[in-house]
Amino acid sequence: MEQLIRELKEEIIKALNLEEMTPEDISDDDALFGGGLGLDSIDALELIVLMEKKYGIKIKDPKAGKEIFKSVRTMAQYVNDNRTK
């Protein structure tokens, strides 16, 4: 799971063009939206695309997305449980 968390951090940095950040700058359990990383709705769309392209996961329900993208750890758990790639 730790390797998947690191991979997700690297993918988030790449997908959202957070060039000034490193995976170490992102806490596993900090909120991705609002406080924490401070992502917005456009970033959410980018993360949905990332999940589909990289892991074969389609997120159709916005409410589910809110739970999945709570933190990097919750994303990793969801990917671990649902990936098709």
Side-chain angles (χ1 to χ4, degrees):
M1 183 70 97
E2 293 304 313
Q3 183 177 352
L4 179 56
I5 288 173
R6 171 112 183 145
E7 180 182 309
L8 278 169
K9 288 178 182 182
E10 290 170 356
E11 291 296 329
I12 289 168
I13 289 168
K14 191 169 23 173
L16 303 180
N17 297 316
L18 303 173
E19 293 122 8
E20 71 283 353
M21 295 191 87
T22 66
E24 292 75 26
D25 293 331
I26 303 171
S27 171
D28 297 354
D29 298 303
D30 277 353
L32 294 178
F33 295 88
L37 207 51
L39 303 182
D40 61 24
S41 59
I42 301 298
D43 297 325
L45 294 173
E46 292 290 336
L47 293 179
I48 290 168
V49 170
L50 165 69
M51 296 283 270
E52 189 170 338
K53 282 185 177 176
K54 180 97 176 153
Y55 303 107
I57 297 172
K58 291 185 187 241
I59 301 171
K60 297 178 179 133
D61 181 6
K63 289 181 183 164
K66 195 171 187 176
E67 287 301 309
I68 295 163
F69 299 133
K70 192 175 279 187
S71 69
V72 175
R73 187 176 306 280
T74 58
M75 279 181 72
Q77 187 62 56
Y78 190 82
V79 167
N80 190 56
D81 295 345
N82 296 283
R83 75 190 308 169
T84 60
K85 291 185 179 179

